[in-house]
Amino acid sequence: MINPVLAEPRPNKTTVAAPLLTLFTVLKPFEGEADTHQRNAIASWQALQPQVEIILFSDSDIPADIHLKFQCHHTRKINVHGTPLLDDVFRIAASEGRGAARAFVNADIILDHRFVQATERLIQSDWKSWLAIGQRTEYEMPADVDHANDDWIAEYFKNIESDGTSASIVCKDYFVFPADLYQDIPAFAIGRGNWDNWMVWHSKTSQIPVVDISKAAPVIHQKHGYSHVTGGRMSVYVSGPEARENQRLAGGRNLISGSTPNWRMDEAAIHKVRFGVLQFGKDLFRFARLLGNMAGLSLIALRSNASDCKAIHDNHSPGG
């Protein structure tokens, strides 16, 4: 049985029963597609209360209707590119959270009650420390979702059984761990490559079990574009300066070791998984498709940037 160290209750606030899980994330600006997807995700997390508490971080304004409902923090640490850094985010979540476990979840991920149930099973296990990860399911969410419909979450999880697509295992959108773990991590840039691999690699090298909870707790990743990404997706995750800095902080890419669990949870039990290289081999088709998509999007971004530069040049040329 795990006996994690819980954060002290915040002063000058009524003490209530501690939640099972403290869920935290870093938000994008609430604009366009990101506004829709973040509201969908947060609405699904809110449905998990009171077992879950939610802490939101952002470097831009959070809409008043969301700010009033949840604990919100302005990201205090950013890099020279203006990207929030995760060491401060994890530190505040460790200090402010009251749950027995923490979950960093990307802000476009839809969860249901099985996510909490899987976390509870790990808390009640014989392990003192553990890290839970999972494979996401890609799904094209409609533009308007009726959050007032009590069954909306269940309906979309049913839909992904026929219309969803499993992403590559290298795409990691959440990390769940006991409250006393990962209170201090390197100053990784959020949304850039290599930091997520470090989380898994570091756990395994520290003899901390890494558990794939995909079968017990599927999650929905809302398909989106990458128009917000400067330089294209390949630059952001692989070749750009922020990805390279994350790689330096992580001590390497750790792609295979950082993407493969050594335990797997299903509805019945938690099983040992061996031969991580073979797990990665089974995912090669999805991984190759991901690389192809990234390269294609990066080429589109380069062409778009070239067109923008030409337009600027033409507009500033004599007689232009």
Side-chain angles (χ1 to χ4, degrees), residues 12-13 18 34 41 44 48 53 69 93 110 115 131 228 264 278 285 291 297 305:
N12 302 322
K13 292 191 177 182
S44 76
L48 303 178
E53 68 172 349
K69 293 178 183 177
I110 295 176
F115 193 80
L131 177 73
H228 63 285
R264 179 167 288 116
L278 294 180
F285 175 76
L291 288 178
L297 288 170
N305 289 340

Side-chain angles (χ1 to χ4, degrees), residues 146-223:
D146 182 11
H147 299 152
N149 174 9
D150 292 339
D151 297 324
W152 77 270
I153 299 172
E155 289 176 2
Y156 288 112
F157 271 97
K158 184 177 181 180
N159 290 345
I160 67 171
E161 294 176 8
S162 57
D163 297 329
T165 304
S166 295
S168 170
I169 60 175
V170 304
C171 302
K172 295 173 286 294
D173 286 82
Y174 64 83
F175 299 98
V176 193
F177 46 90
D180 56 354
L181 194 64
Y182 289 118
Q183 297 184 6
D184 186 20
I185 69 170
F188 294 121
I190 178 65
R192 305 300 183 260
N194 301 307
W195 84 269
D196 50 351
N197 295 339
W198 178 87
M199 290 285 291
V200 176
W201 170 83
H202 183 270
S203 293
K204 290 161 74 173
T205 57
S206 302
Q207 305 303 309
I208 295 170
V210 177
V211 187
D212 177 2
I213 62 172
S214 304
K215 290 186 179 297
V219 305
I220 298 174
H221 176 253
Q222 303 170 83
K223 288 184 179 179

Side-chain angles (χ1 to χ4, degrees), residues 242-277:
E242 292 176 281
R244 292 199 302 269
E245 174 61 9
N246 277 2
Q247 180 182 347
R248 184 190 70 79
L249 291 171
R253 295 196 188 280
N254 307 308
L255 182 63
I256 296 177
S257 179
S259 300
T260 50
N262 46 26
W263 293 84
R264 179 167 288 116
M265 178 188 291
D266 59 27
E267 294 181 359
I270 303 175
H271 309 275
K272 180 68 175 176
V273 175
R274 304 183 187 279
F275 308 116
V277 173

